[in-house]
Amino acid sequence: MLSKLARWIAPACLAVPLLAADATVPGEVRVPYPTILNLSIDWLIEGDDNLNGRVEVEYRRAGDSRWRQGPPLVRIPEGNSGQRTTPTFYWPNKHSGSLFDLEPATEYEIRLRLSDPDGGSAERTVRATTRAVPRPAPGATVRQATPPTFRKVIAEAAPGDIVQLTPGYYGEFEALRDGQPGKPIVLRGDTSHTVKSTFEGISLRGRKHIILEKLTVYGTIDLLGAEEVAVRHCTVNAKYGIVAQRKPGCTNCYIADNVVTWVMPWAPEGMGHQNFWGGAANMGEGIQLTGPGNVICYNRVRGFRDAISNMEDRGAYEQVSIDIYNNDIYVAADDAIEADHCMGNCRVMRNRITNCAMGLSSQPSLGGPTYFIRNVMYNLVLAPFKFARGSHGNVALHNTVVKTGHGLWVPHGPGIYYRSTFRNNLAIGGPRDPFKINYSGPARGEALFTPETDPTNDFDYDGIGTHLTPFRGRIGKVEFNSIDELRERTTAKHAVQVDMSVFENVEFPNPPYPERPVPDLRLKAGSAAVDAGLPLPGINDGYRGRAPDLGAYEFGEPLPHYGPRPEGVDEETARRQR
């Protein structure tokens, strides 16, 4: 590692002058843990103490002639979590970011241009290949199994075999054999009958290249130590659904199109991490993984404390390059998506969240970037964004929030948060819920955004509104009582005032109990949120009209698919159909 005062690298025969610490010394470029749709980029550096270096990104499929502009990398100064976490986590000096919504199993060429007015500008070109969607081997041998023959058949299964189960009860199962790259062992249930292929629990601990399909499991699916494993189109009913809850977690796993449920009701006594039913330890976790490269997508999760979550503190292990997208989450007593202790390039995108205490948690983000893009949150009783415990490097783009109490809200703590960016979000708050679950202090149901923050955070181009309450709010310690005051007194120079008229016939969720049905939060033609956003390369390319729209949905576009897709449809087949 270079010293803090970066040195100019010159031939040995020349003098070696010292550069100012504000200059950049470029280091290694890494593209860690490609996923199916996204690529992570880390460019390690020394210097740039004044943080004015910038990295522009272009990319193209290998062999194409035309370059496309991607999102610029995020400047991440070296730092640590201090005493807010156990143990203390450290991250290096770098530029970091992601490329989004690429084609699976495709090689890309990525061109990076670093510029620093203080010196050290450079250009690098790297290649990376997205992963393929896990699928059975072509021409796989299908082995039939019944409950009495299952143990013998699975023990004899070779890499590439499909074990086809008849309906029936199979008890608990621990896999003891691995597949091979391109030749997974597939365990497939029969869903064509009223009686399903049912298990009491499944352990894939330490296993590689296995696919579970169309199974019904009344117990946990344990992926601790698993690599390149897929769980899809399964039905799981358990207090802890699909998990890998301690080091080494699981790596490059694919959790897709499952229905995962438990018993937590939507009631005020259950909200928050401490509750009437006995606190956090008694409420369950739907999908909870640690480890790198994991993809959690198109699942329907209901009735847990946290629906989808990472691990925290000593349980967190290499939580990088993690994708959580297009999940349908309905009833979570604490966090819908707990992306805590992300260690770089976690991507939470296009999730639909309804009837949950908290929306998106980043407690903390360890340097970042942690991305929250085009998520839809309706009827929350606490905060849509929980950036706590000294969270660093959150990026919130094109999210939609409709809830009682504060709209676009990050709570006061514990711990301020740093270097977060908000763009093109749409948030409407309203009266504080009558059960007073919202613990934000004095009744400020009309307050829009009330963090204790620092100057490194950047908020602009968001649509802010209220329903049945005066328009007022707070950013940091700055209070405002009109859209003009918001623009004049804060960094939100291009904020837009909105209200419920931006939607077509959507009921404001007051009171929040009982459960609210899932609404259609697409925009109404000509509303204040249409054409009011900022163009963001690699994020909202292809927008309609004069400018991008605010919130999760571009006007005129169909709703994304949330939750399990029809059998036979995955990221690769969907792209081929388009």
Side-chain angles (χ1 to χ4, degrees):
M1 201 69 167
L2 298 173
S3 63
K4 188 68 176 179
L5 289 178
R7 296 181 179 274
W8 186 265
I9 301 174
C13 58
L14 301 178
V16 185
L18 286 175
L19 280 180
D22 287 339
T24 296
V25 177
E28 179 185 6
V29 176
R30 301 172 180 171
V31 190
Y33 297 102
T35 61
I36 290 167
L37 295 183
N38 304 320
L39 291 173
S40 303
I41 305 164
D42 289 328
W43 193 341
L44 303 181
I45 64 168
E46 285 288 334
D48 191 28
D49 285 2
N50 59 359
L51 305 178
N52 65 349
R54 181 176 175 85
V55 176
E56 300 291 340
V57 180
E58 293 180 306
Y59 68 99
R60 63 186 180 187
R61 289 185 304 183
D64 285 358
S65 59
R66 185 175 69 89
W67 291 93
R68 298 180 60 183
Q69 188 176 1
L73 299 187
V74 178
R75 180 69 176 88
I76 307 293
E78 63 183 331
N80 65 80
S81 61
Q83 296 180 344
R84 299 184 184 94
T85 64
T86 303
T88 296
F89 293 89
Y90 297 85
W91 54 88
N93 203 18
K94 61 183 177 178
H95 294 265
S96 185
S98 294
L99 295 176
F100 300 92
D101 290 318
L102 306 174
E103 297 182 26
T106 301
E107 185 181 23
Y108 285 88
E109 192 175 5
I110 306 166
R111 185 162 65 192
L112 309 172
R113 290 193 174 100
L114 185 154
S115 59
D116 187 338
D118 304 302
S121 299
E123 182 174 318
R124 298 279 193 276
T125 300
V126 295
R127 289 186 176 231
T129 302
T130 52
R131 298 202 320 257
V133 175
R135 59 182 71 252
T141 298
V142 178
R143 296 174 176 268
Q144 301 292 332
T146 65
T149 66
F150 171 63
R151 306 292 168 176
K152 181 176 186 298
V153 173
I154 195 67
E156 295 174 351
D161 285 355
I162 297 174
V163 178
Q164 178 69 57
L165 305 178
T166 63
Y169 174 71
Y170 290 82
E172 294 188 357
F173 169 61
E174 180 180 2
L176 300 176
R177 306 191 70 180
D178 294 334
Q180 295 175 357
K183 294 183 177 181
I185 295 175
V186 180
L187 189 59
R188 179 181 293 164
D190 185 336
T191 57
S192 62
H193 299 79
T194 302
V195 177
K196 310 300 182 186
S197 306
T198 302
F199 289 80
E200 283 298 319
I202 295 177
S203 173
L204 299 184
R205 286 196 170 200
R207 299 278 62 89
K208 300 179 181 179
H209 305 290
I210 293 178
I211 298 176
L212 304 181
E213 289 186 340
K214 298 193 285 186
L215 305 177
T216 297
V217 185
Y218 289 96
T220 296
I221 297 179
D222 189 348
L223 305 182
L224 184 64
E227 297 181 24
E228 304 284 349
V229 157
V231 180
R232 61 190 185 193
H233 289 291
C234 292
T235 298
V236 182
N237 185 273
K239 180 177 176 181
Y240 295 97
I242 304 172
V243 303
Q245 294 175 308
R246 66 174 190 269
K247 183 178 180 178
C250 57
T251 301
N252 289 347
C253 290
Y254 182 64
I255 314 301
D257 303 295
N258 303 288
V259 176
V260 186
T261 59
W262 190 232
V263 299
M264 190 68 205
W266 181 246
E269 295 87 353
M271 297 303 104
H273 71 286
Q274 298 296 329
N275 61 86
F276 179 80
W277 282 280
N282 292 320
M283 297 167 63
E285 304 283 335
I287 302 172
Q288 186 176 45
L289 308 178
T290 190
N294 295 309
V295 176
I296 303 171
C297 63
Y298 292 99
N299 301 283
R300 181 169 294 114
V301 187
R302 175 184 175 128
F304 292 89
R305 172 192 176 230
D306 299 321
I308 298 174
S309 55
N310 294 334
M311 295 301 295
E312 301 179 68
D313 294 293
R314 294 191 187 279
Y317 176 73
E318 205 172 355
Q319 292 183 165
V320 300
S321 302
I322 295 169
D323 292 346
I324 303 172
Y325 57 85
N326 290 87
N327 298 283
D328 201 4
I329 299 172
Y330 193 87
V331 179
D334 194 15
D335 298 328
I337 298 178
E338 189 178 74
D340 295 356
H341 286 67
C342 278
M343 301 170 183
N345 287 298
C346 291
R347 297 162 292 239
V348 179
M349 312 186 303
R350 295 187 300 272
N351 299 282
R352 184 168 65 184
I353 296 168
T354 311
N355 301 328
C356 293
M358 200 83 66
L360 305 170
S361 177
S362 179
Q363 181 180 259
S365 171
L366 299 169
T370 300
Y371 292 99
F372 301 95
I373 303 174
R374 294 195 185 277
N375 301 285
V376 176
M377 292 170 270
Y378 178 79
N379 196 27
L380 310 180
V381 294
L382 299 177
F385 301 98
K386 182 175 63 177
F387 299 165
R389 298 176 69 185
S391 197
H392 286 70
N394 297 290
V395 181
L397 310 173
H398 279 290
N399 300 284
T400 294
V401 179
V402 178
K403 61 181 290 294
T404 55
H406 308 328
L408 191 59
W409 176 36
V410 179
H412 290 278
I416 64 175
Y417 60 100
Y418 306 88
R419 308 195 65 78
S420 290
T421 300
F422 282 68
R423 292 287 186 272
N424 295 352
N425 301 287
L426 173 63
I428 298 175
R432 182 176 175 179
D433 85 80
F435 295 94
K436 299 187 169 101
I437 302 301
N438 183 327
Y439 51 71
S440 59
R444 293 179 54 93
E446 69 278 16
L448 304 175
F449 194 57
T450 59
E452 290 295 340
T453 186
D454 87 325
T456 65
N457 294 309
D458 186 2
F459 317 112
D460 203 0
Y461 287 93
D462 295 314
I464 305 297
T466 56
H467 178 72
L468 298 180
T469 55
F471 183 96
R472 68 176 186 179
R474 169 178 167 177
I475 294 181
K477 297 182 179 180
V478 178
E479 301 277 353
F480 56 87
N481 293 285
S482 69
I483 190 68
D484 290 336
E485 289 184 358
L486 169 61
R487 293 168 179 163
E488 291 169 1
R489 298 179 182 179
T490 74
T491 62
K493 305 301 182 186
H494 305 89
V496 176
Q497 185 169 355
V498 296
D499 56 33
M500 290 298 291
S501 69
V502 300
F503 309 116
E504 290 275 10
N505 301 318
V506 173
E507 184 177 4
F508 189 82
N510 183 38
Y513 307 98
E515 293 176 15
R516 294 270 173 170
V518 176
D520 184 342
L521 292 176
R522 285 178 291 182
L523 300 176
K524 185 166 64 178
S527 72
V530 173
D531 294 346
L534 176 71
L536 302 171
I539 301 294
N540 55 24
D541 302 331
Y543 59 82
R544 304 180 179 207
R546 299 185 308 273
D549 301 336
L550 300 180
Y553 303 131
E554 184 74 9
F555 176 75
E557 293 291 328
L559 282 175
H561 188 95
Y562 300 106
R565 298 161 291 186
E567 292 179 20
V569 176
D570 58 30
E571 291 85 345
E572 290 183 26
T573 56
R575 285 187 177 272
R576 286 198 298 269
Q577 291 169 359
R578 288 197 293 270

